[in-house]
Amino acid sequence: MKISQLSDQYSVSEQITEADIDQLASKGVQTLICNRPDNEAADQTAFADIAQKAESLGIKAVSIAFTGTQMSDRQISELADILAGNQRVHAYCRTGNRSTKIWQAVQALTDQTKADQTKENQTTIEQDRASQGSNPSPGAEVKKTTAAHCAKPTYTVVIVGAGTAGIAVATSLLKRKAKIRICLIDPAEQHAYQPGWTMVGGGVFDVETTLRPMHTVIPDETTWLKNAVTRFDPDNNRVHLDDGSEIYYNHLVVAAGLEIHWAGIKGLPETLGKNGVTSNYSYKTAPYTWELVSSLKGGKAVFTQPPMPIKCAGAPQKAMYLSASHWRRNSVLDKFDIGFYNAGGVLFGVPAYVPALQSYVERYAIHLNFLHNLIAVDGDNKTATFTHTPAEGEAREVNVDFDMLHVCPPQRAPEFIRNSPLADAAGWVDVHPQTLQHTRFNNVWGLGDVTNTPNAKTMAAARKQAPLLAHNICATLDKLPPSAHYTGYGSCPLTVEHGKIVLAEFGYEGKLLPTFPTWINDGTKATSQAWHLKADFLPWFYWNGMLKGREWLV
């Protein structure tokens, strides 16, 4: 059971069992509230059983059950009355969402009541002054009112997206302002360590080690809404959710990631994961990459890279080098014809790292095919179709047969970002490349893959951006200008063989930004030190450091 403490008095969790009530009792819970109707799921513990166990421990059990967001005014008032008793209250539903939202409604009702009361008090005073002069009678009565409807729940910071960037910036904010009210919005059930999928495809990691339940990585001090955002309204400081509700903010952070556009390649969705067609860009198919690599004894292996921008520009090559490394170690490399088909015109965008990569291209006898963009896949006939656009001459289609095809799909901003007032002409969140503040809305910020900053879209970029952005938001809250500047840092550990990596680290305009001195690790060469960093340290650091607000190596 993961308990989220929304206030000193009130906490929430997902569905509980009778065994969980002992833990709640040990925390001093006096009232237990169920916001979930019975029989929503087969494995759900009935409220009557929960109530019986709770009451045996001296805890009052109350059912305020509703579906979706269909809470009534009566139910909101009922919770308000319970909270007015100053008892420790714990509420639960299927995920904790409903229990969070009804609490928000109570807070909004309280805020609105206070506002209405203040307004009416002022009106009454002004009326008295108008009728009695400037000195109202000592016994003049002040009328009290209650809110006719719920006001809008407001957070200091609302973060859209609970991926790497979203959680990292939440924990960095909490590190600086422990009492700040943060709401994370993300419908995902699982949180993924995506850099590990390259290693899954290379037979190094088990894919299950790259996934954890989302509720285990959400910071306890935040509110998690398991919803999808449907629309932004930055003029009114609110976001609209897929359940019809609205969330208001003082500051908005957009960390929604990017969309893998599988359908952007004709025929790919129908054949992905079979017929020799795979991709390390999905946890579902990364294991299939290793299945193909470890079972094939020869044939035509094709690796593709689409036009930029994409998540981790080195990932298509990583898959290729690890595959070739395995075949070389098993003495079958000479049985393979390996081709790299890149929509771009160079092997890697930062020239300092090209010599090391080129040496592995030659070692593995890889055929480089630049200016080739994959547009269609025929899995049954094992044929890939590319558009080849030479520097001079007309574009033409090229068909390539394959036994194994590793696809890096085209990528773009999510639709709800592309169609929002936050987007630039290309659909990405439009932020200043140094401060990460939106170019048009001063209380909107962006980080991670969803922004239009001209850096490599990598986990390492988010690692650098999160504390910087948290610093700038806190400065703004303190009425100071944002002073921390992002230099475009990104890192791409290029797995060129099993046991060695070219650790590319660079910033804006390709400037080299190495973390370590060359006597520890020379990033322009393949080293075993860099392999141990990626294979052994970085996964541990991700789960136990970066997502916990530990800003090491920043």
Side-chain angles (χ1 to χ4, degrees), residues 312-464:
C312 189
Q317 292 184 57
K318 296 177 191 180
M320 176 174 66
Y321 297 137
L322 282 180
S323 299
S325 174
H326 174 78
W327 295 328
R328 186 171 187 263
R329 292 197 302 171
N330 285 271
S331 303
V332 293
L333 180 61
D334 60 341
K335 304 294 193 299
F336 283 89
D337 178 8
I338 304 174
F340 183 48
Y341 290 77
N342 185 351
V346 295
L347 184 59
F348 196 73
V350 182
Y353 301 106
V354 171
L357 299 179
Q358 185 65 42
S359 69
Y360 279 92
V361 167
E362 294 168 3
R363 174 184 294 189
Y364 300 135
I366 296 169
H367 303 290
L368 299 180
N369 302 274
F370 296 121
L371 306 175
H372 282 71
N373 184 32
L374 181 67
I375 59 172
V377 178
D378 182 346
D380 291 333
N381 294 305
K382 293 196 172 184
T383 302
T385 302
F386 296 85
T387 297
H388 175 43
T389 308
E392 296 181 1
E394 296 183 358
R396 62 187 181 90
E397 290 189 1
V398 177
N399 291 321
V400 177
D401 295 333
F402 63 84
D403 294 289
M404 171 185 170
L405 174 65
H406 180 274
V407 178
C408 175
Q411 295 158 45
R412 60 187 182 180
E415 183 178 9
F416 77 101
I417 299 293
R418 298 197 306 270
N419 297 329
S420 79
L422 306 180
D424 66 4
W428 305 96
V429 176
D430 193 9
V431 299
H432 290 287
Q434 284 80 35
T435 64
L436 306 181
Q437 187 176 37
H438 199 275
T439 58
R440 298 185 302 280
F441 304 102
N442 289 339
N443 65 336
V444 177
W445 312 76
L447 79 162
D449 294 347
V450 77
T451 71
N452 63 354
T453 52
N455 59 276
K457 295 183 183 294
T458 66
M459 184 202 78
R463 175 172 60 83
K464 290 281 189 175

Side-chain angles (χ1 to χ4, degrees), residues 455-501:
N455 59 276
K457 295 183 183 294
T458 66
M459 184 202 78
R463 175 172 60 83
K464 290 281 189 175
Q465 291 171 350
L468 179 151
L469 190 149
H471 173 90
N472 284 344
I473 290 178
C474 290
T476 304
L477 290 171
D478 293 335
K479 311 301 182 186
L480 298 171
S483 57
H485 283 192
Y486 173 56
T487 60
Y489 176 86
S491 174
C492 188
L494 290 146
T495 48
V496 290
E497 65 174 294
H498 285 79
K500 286 191 177 181
I501 278 176

Side-chain angles (χ1 to χ4, degrees), residues 77-293:
S77 297
E78 187 176 356
L79 177 58
D81 290 341
I82 292 171
L83 294 175
N86 292 320
Q87 295 187 339
R88 289 184 67 90
V89 178
H90 181 82
Y92 71 91
C93 57
R94 187 178 75 85
T95 64
N97 248 17
R98 275 172 278 189
S99 301
T100 297
K101 289 191 173 182
I102 193 171
W103 178 79
Q104 291 172 340
V106 170
Q107 303 312 301
L109 176 64
T110 302
D111 293 344
Q112 186 65 49
T113 299
K114 290 178 181 177
D116 287 352
Q117 182 175 328
T118 299
K119 183 178 180 180
E120 184 140 349
N121 288 351
Q122 185 62 36
T123 300
T124 301
I125 292 170
E126 291 173 356
Q127 289 174 343
D128 286 344
R129 285 175 175 168
S131 62
Q132 301 176 25
S134 60
N135 298 309
S137 61
E141 181 182 356
V142 177
K143 293 177 65 178
K144 295 182 179 180
T145 63
T146 57
H149 57 82
C150 286
K152 302 118 179 152
T154 301
Y155 293 88
T156 308
V157 180
V158 166
I159 301 173
V160 177
T164 298
I167 291 183
V169 77
T171 53
S172 285
L173 282 165
L174 290 165
K175 185 173 183 178
R176 288 160 175 78
K177 289 185 179 290
K179 299 298 184 182
I180 193 170
R181 290 192 68 205
I182 299 175
C183 177
L184 280 158
I185 304 174
D186 197 311
E189 296 271 3
Q190 299 281 339
H191 184 96
Y193 175 61
Q194 296 183 33
W197 295 344
T198 290
M199 305 295 262
V200 172
V204 182
F205 289 176
D206 186 317
V207 73
E208 296 301 322
T209 66
T210 69
L211 298 175
R212 292 191 183 180
M214 181 67 84
H215 70 82
T216 66
V217 297
I218 296 287
D220 290 337
E221 302 86 351
T222 67
T223 297
W224 174 32
L225 296 184
K226 197 175 175 183
N227 292 93
V229 171
T230 57
R231 187 163 66 89
F232 294 97
D233 183 4
D235 291 322
N236 294 296
N237 297 334
R238 66 181 172 183
V239 293
H240 296 256
L241 306 183
D242 56 354
D243 61 7
S245 62
E246 301 170 352
I247 301 296
Y248 285 71
Y249 57 81
N250 299 119
H251 286 266
L252 173 68
V253 175
V254 185
L258 53 70
E259 174 187 311
I260 304 295
H261 187 33
W262 302 106
I265 298 173
K266 183 180 178 181
L268 178 60
E270 295 82 4
T271 195
L272 185 64
K274 58 184 180 181
N275 298 323
V277 181
T278 189
S279 178
N280 286 347
Y281 276 81
S282 168
Y283 79 94
K284 293 181 179 179
T285 53
Y288 184 52
T289 301
W290 175 239
E291 180 183 330
L292 291 171
V293 171

